Amino acid sequence: MARARMLLLAEGFLEVGQGTRGESFYFGLPGAAGQLRVANHARTPRQRLRHPEVVASLVVAGPLSEAALRERVAATVRDFRARHR
Protein backbone atom coordinates (compact mmCIF):
# COMPACT_ATOMS: atom_id res chain seq x y z
CA MET A 1 0.00 0.00 0.00
CA ALA A 2 2.87 2.38 0.70
CA ARG A 3 4.10 1.98 -2.88
CA ALA A 4 0.59 2.66 -4.25
CA ARG A 5 0.43 5.82 -2.15
CA MET A 6 3.78 6.98 -3.56
CA LEU A 7 2.64 6.32 -7.14
CA LEU A 8 -0.49 8.42 -6.58
CA LEU A 9 1.56 11.27 -5.13
CA ALA A 10 3.73 11.11 -8.26
CA GLU A 11 0.54 11.45 -10.35
CA GLY A 12 -0.24 14.76 -8.63
CA PHE A 13 -2.71 13.50 -6.03
CA LEU A 14 -2.60 14.83 -2.48
CA GLU A 15 -3.37 12.72 0.56
CA VAL A 16 -6.49 14.24 2.11
CA GLY A 17 -7.39 11.71 4.80
CA GLN A 18 -6.89 8.40 6.49
CA GLY A 19 -9.27 5.83 7.91
CA THR A 20 -9.44 5.52 11.67
CA ARG A 21 -7.69 2.12 11.70
CA GLY A 22 -5.01 3.09 9.19
CA GLU A 23 -6.28 0.63 6.58
CA SER A 24 -7.61 3.24 4.16
CA PHE A 25 -6.09 6.36 2.66
CA TYR A 26 -7.89 9.05 0.68
CA PHE A 27 -6.47 11.19 -2.11
CA GLY A 28 -7.73 14.12 -4.12
CA LEU A 29 -6.58 16.18 -7.06
CA PRO A 30 -6.37 19.94 -6.63
CA GLY A 31 -9.45 21.49 -8.19
CA ALA A 32 -11.29 18.17 -8.63
CA ALA A 33 -14.27 17.02 -6.63
CA GLY A 34 -14.28 13.57 -5.10
CA GLN A 35 -11.70 11.32 -3.59
CA LEU A 36 -9.72 8.25 -4.59
CA ARG A 37 -9.45 5.58 -1.90
CA VAL A 38 -6.56 3.14 -1.37
CA ALA A 39 -7.23 0.31 1.07
CA ASN A 40 -6.54 -3.30 1.86
CA HIS A 41 -10.24 -4.22 1.60
CA ALA A 42 -13.25 -3.41 -0.58
CA ARG A 43 -15.92 -0.99 0.57
CA THR A 44 -19.21 -2.35 1.85
CA PRO A 45 -22.53 -1.22 0.37
CA ARG A 46 -23.13 0.78 3.55
CA GLN A 47 -19.78 2.56 3.17
CA ARG A 48 -20.64 3.41 -0.45
CA LEU A 49 -23.91 5.02 0.67
CA ARG A 50 -22.36 6.92 3.56
CA HIS A 51 -19.38 8.22 1.58
CA PRO A 52 -20.40 9.18 -1.96
CA GLU A 53 -17.36 11.49 -2.18
CA VAL A 54 -15.21 8.41 -2.92
CA VAL A 55 -15.45 8.06 -6.69
CA ALA A 56 -12.72 5.45 -7.25
CA SER A 57 -11.06 2.78 -5.12
CA LEU A 58 -7.83 0.86 -5.34
CA VAL A 59 -7.75 -2.32 -3.26
CA VAL A 60 -4.33 -3.76 -2.47
CA ALA A 61 -5.15 -6.91 -0.49
CA GLY A 62 -1.82 -8.67 -0.92
CA PRO A 63 1.58 -8.55 -2.52
CA LEU A 64 1.72 -7.42 -6.16
CA SER A 65 4.55 -7.14 -8.62
CA GLU A 66 5.64 -3.62 -9.47
CA ALA A 67 4.11 -3.99 -12.96
CA ALA A 68 0.78 -5.23 -11.61
CA LEU A 69 0.63 -2.44 -9.04
CA ARG A 70 1.43 0.23 -11.64
CA GLU A 71 -1.30 -1.22 -13.88
CA ARG A 72 -3.88 -1.11 -11.08
CA VAL A 73 -2.92 2.42 -10.09
CA ALA A 74 -3.14 3.59 -13.71
CA ALA A 75 -6.60 2.01 -14.13
CA THR A 76 -7.85 3.60 -10.90
CA VAL A 77 -6.51 7.02 -11.89
CA ARG A 78 -8.24 6.66 -15.30
CA ASP A 79 -11.51 5.82 -13.54
CA PHE A 80 -11.14 8.80 -11.22
CA ARG A 81 -10.40 11.21 -14.06
CA ALA A 82 -13.20 9.80 -16.24
CA ARG A 83 -15.73 10.73 -13.54
CA HIS A 84 -14.59 14.37 -13.73
CA ARG A 85 -15.12 15.04 -17.42
Side-chain angles (χ1 to χ4, degrees):
M1 286 207 358
R3 184 70 183 131
R5 292 169 66 196
M6 291 180 69
L7 291 170
L8 287 169
L9 292 172
E11 287 281 336
F13 283 84
L14 302 173
E15 191 166 330
V16 295
Q18 182 175 344
T20 56
R21 292 178 281 177
E23 300 171 336
S24 303
F25 301 91
Y26 299 88
F27 294 83
L29 276 177
Q35 297 175 355
L36 186 154
R37 175 181 177 265
V38 177
N40 64 359
H41 60 282
R43 295 193 308 153
T44 65
R46 183 177 179 185
Q47 287 171 316
R48 286 186 193 94
L49 287 173
R50 293 179 69 187
H51 297 284
E53 69 277 7
V54 176
V55 297
S57 286
L58 171 62
V59 176
V60 182
L64 294 171
S65 70
E66 181 72 16
L69 179 61
R70 285 181 178 273
E71 187 176 309
R72 283 195 189 179
V73 168
T76 306
V77 168
R78 278 193 307 272
D79 289 347
F80 180 89
R81 290 188 169 137
R83 294 177 189 239
H84 291 95
R85 290 186 182 172

